[in-house]
Amino acid sequence: WNDIDVLKVGHHGSLTSSQEKFLKQVKPETSIISVGKDNDYGLPKEEILKRLTNIKTKIYRTDLDGTIQIVSDGNSNSVTKINVSLDGN
């Protein structure tokens, strides 16, 4: 496998996702974790965040960053954080 641009981290960053060997193989430039704020499962797990940090990927999390939009022109990607208010404001 070659290096990849964007990784959608599996299973909300649980311990069963994103094994170290896999991450070192794909070396994503950007990693997106889709996870609810203050979830009962304590996701994403700290160990997964450390693995991602160790491979120097840029981490975006929906619980901290809101909606994440990735746009590609086929050569490069741009990442935008979109703040959405759930109360209509």
Side-chain angles (χ1 to χ4, degrees):
W1 298 345
N2 295 326
D3 295 355
I4 62 171
D5 295 330
V6 179
L7 173 69
K8 191 280 187 185
V9 175
H11 203 250
H12 316 288
S14 73
L15 289 177
T16 59
S17 70
S18 307
Q19 297 300 310
E20 189 172 4
K21 184 176 180 180
F22 169 75
L23 292 174
K24 286 181 177 180
Q25 180 67 44
V26 297
K27 301 175 194 155
E29 290 179 27
T30 302
S31 295
I32 310 294
I33 304 173
S34 178
V35 62
K37 188 173 185 177
D38 300 323
N39 63 80
D40 293 338
Y41 303 100
L43 299 175
K45 294 297 186 183
E46 193 62 37
E47 183 175 333
I48 299 303
L49 294 172
K50 285 179 185 176
R51 288 179 194 166
L52 293 168
T53 299
N54 287 342
I55 62 164
K56 297 178 177 44
T57 184
K58 174 67 177 159
I59 303 168
Y60 292 92
R61 299 170 42 169
T62 57
D63 62 333
L64 301 177
D65 300 313
T67 299
I68 308 299
Q69 179 183 33
I70 302 170
V71 177
S72 176
D73 64 5
N75 294 311
S76 63
N77 301 310
S78 66
V79 179
T80 305
K81 296 185 263 184
I82 303 172
N83 294 320
V84 178
S85 173
L86 298 178
D87 62 6
N89 296 321

